[in-house]
Amino acid sequence: MGQRIAGLELAPNWTSAAGALEGVLRHAGIDLPRHAVMGLTGHAFHFCLGMKGGVAALPSGPANFDRGAMVARYARTGLRFERFAGPADARGKAAGAAWAMERLDAGVPVIGWDLHLHEFGIIDGYDRERGGFFVQDIITEEVGPFVAWENWAPLGEVELWAPVEAVEVEPAVLNEALQTAAALLRGEEDPGDGQPRGTAGLEAWAAALEGDTEVDRAGNAYTLAVLQAARADGALFLRDVAAALPAAGEALERAARALEEETKALSPLITLFPFPAGGHGNVQVPGLRRAAAMALRRAAAWERECLAGLEAAIERLERAG
C-alpha cells in the first residue's frame, strides 16, 4: 500500500479541474486566489455546449476543453506540470496507474479525470492490494476516498496531470492569458467534435431553447452554474490585470464590466433552473424556455463586448511593446 500524501485539500470550484489545481498549488506553497487560477489557465473563459444525439446542454460540456493545452496554461500559475493521457483499456489503465503511483511514491499529488464521477479530482494515494486510488473530489465525503481501478475512467479516457517543479512566472503570462481568453470567447478551441464553443455556444444554447430541441434538465442547470461562476471569476481576474497593465487598463476594465453584466443576465436562470433539480419541469415549459433564451442572448451580447475590450487591450499591449 502506498503512503497517502498529507496536507492536500480540493478547493471549492464549479470548475473541478481548477479546484483540483488550486489544491495542488497550495500544497506546493503557491497561494493564488481562485479567480487568478481561473483566469491564468483560461478556465474562466471556457464554454462548451454539450450536445449529442439531438440533446443540448449535457453535463459533459463544462469539462470538454483542450486538455493538451493545460500543461502550458497551468505553468502560468508558477508550477510546471506533466501529463499522461491515453485510452482507458486494460493496457492504458495499467500504464496510467503505474505512472501515477511512481509520482505518489515520490510525494507528488496527481490530478485525475473520471474518478468517482465525470469530473476532475486529486489523487493523493493508492492501495495496490485493493487495486485502486485514494482521491479527493466533490463526492468523496459522501462515498469515501477509494476508487477501484476497474471502475476508473468509464468514459474511456485516462487523463492525469502531475506537478514537476516550480517555475518563475514572467510578466508575459498575463499577455498570454489575455490571448487565451480572447481565443476561448471566439470559440477557437475546437477538438473537432462539432460542439459549439465560446460565445457561439451561448447562441446555440438560446436557439435550442427557442426551438423544440430536447434540453437536458440536470445538465442545463449544471452548465449554468459553472458558466456564471467562471465568468464572475473572469471579471475579477481582468480587473487585477487592468491594475497590473495600465497601458491596457481602460480596455480591460471595459471587458471586466461586460463579464459582470453577463453574470447579472445569467442570475435569473440560476433561480429558474437551480442545480441539481434543474427546476423540475421548467426546462420543458415553452414560455420559460423563451425567457431563458432571451437571457442567454443578452449574456452572449455581453461576451461580445468583453471580447471587444480584450482585443483592444491586446492591441494596445502589442503597440506598447
Side-chain angles (χ1 to χ4, degrees):
M1 175 176 174
Q3 184 72 30
R4 296 188 68 181
I5 302 171
L8 278 161
E9 185 175 352
L10 185 76
N13 197 319
W14 280 100
T15 299
S16 60
L21 172 61
E22 187 178 341
V24 170
L25 288 171
R26 287 182 178 175
H27 183 261
I30 301 172
D31 191 11
L32 289 175
R34 185 188 64 217
H35 67 270
V37 174
M38 290 287 287
L40 287 167
T41 60
H43 283 304
F45 306 96
H46 170 263
F47 180 76
C48 171
L49 182 66
M51 296 192 73
K52 186 176 182 180
V55 181
L58 293 167
S60 57
N64 195 334
F65 52 81
D66 184 354
R67 295 171 188 170
M70 291 302 121
V71 170
R73 292 180 189 170
Y74 282 12
R76 298 171 188 163
T77 65
L79 199 59
R80 184 169 69 85
F81 280 77
E82 57 182 338
R83 177 189 186 218
F84 180 97
D89 54 19
R91 177 179 293 184
K93 288 169 74 168
W99 187 91
M101 287 188 289
E102 180 180 354
R103 282 141 188 83
L104 293 165
D105 284 341
V108 177
V110 176
I111 296 173
W113 160 252
D114 208 10
L115 299 163
H116 278 132
L117 72 174
H118 311 321
E119 294 284 354
F120 286 87
I122 299 172
I123 302 172
D124 60 24
Y126 67 92
D127 187 328
R128 194 187 297 271
E129 291 183 3
R130 293 175 64 189
F133 291 131
F134 293 106
V135 309
Q136 296 184 44
D137 59 25
I138 61 175
I139 63 169
T140 292
E141 290 188 3
E142 287 74 30
V143 302
F146 187 75
V147 175
W149 289 325
E150 64 180 3
N151 298 325
W152 169 38
L155 292 181
E157 302 171 293
V158 171
E159 185 72 46
L160 302 166
W161 304 324
V164 177
E165 61 184 354
V167 293
E168 186 174 352
V169 178
E170 301 290 343
V173 301
L174 295 180
N175 302 60
E176 294 170 4
L178 295 178
Q179 294 277 1
T180 296
L184 289 170
L185 292 180
R186 288 193 291 261
E188 294 175 1
E189 180 185 62
D190 185 1
D193 59 14
Q195 296 183 105
R197 285 171 162 74
T199 305
L202 297 186
E203 297 281 7
W205 196 357
L209 286 163
E210 288 167 339
D212 58 2
T213 300
E214 181 183 350
V215 176
D216 186 83
R217 185 182 73 183
N220 185 68
Y222 173 65
T223 304
L224 281 167
V226 175
L227 174 63
Q228 189 194 44
R231 296 302 188 260
D233 281 333
L236 291 171
F237 173 71
L238 291 177
R239 289 203 181 278
D240 283 355
V241 181
L245 300 176
E250 183 179 350
L252 290 172
E253 287 286 350
R254 172 188 174 188
R257 285 193 299 272
L259 289 191
E260 290 169 349
E261 293 299 324
E262 179 182 358
T263 63
K264 293 176 186 177
L266 293 170
S267 289
L269 302 187
I270 302 296
T271 302
L272 186 60
F273 307 113
F275 183 83
H280 299 290
N282 286 355
V283 78
Q284 298 173 341
V285 178
L288 296 179
R289 286 172 64 113
R290 287 193 297 270
M294 290 175 62
L296 286 170
R297 292 199 185 280
R298 287 194 294 272
W302 284 116
E303 282 205 354
R304 288 191 289 271
E305 174 70 8
C306 176
L307 178 58
L310 284 172
E311 290 174 338
I314 291 167
E315 182 180 353
R316 291 173 191 177
L317 290 171
E318 288 176 346
R319 287 204 307 265

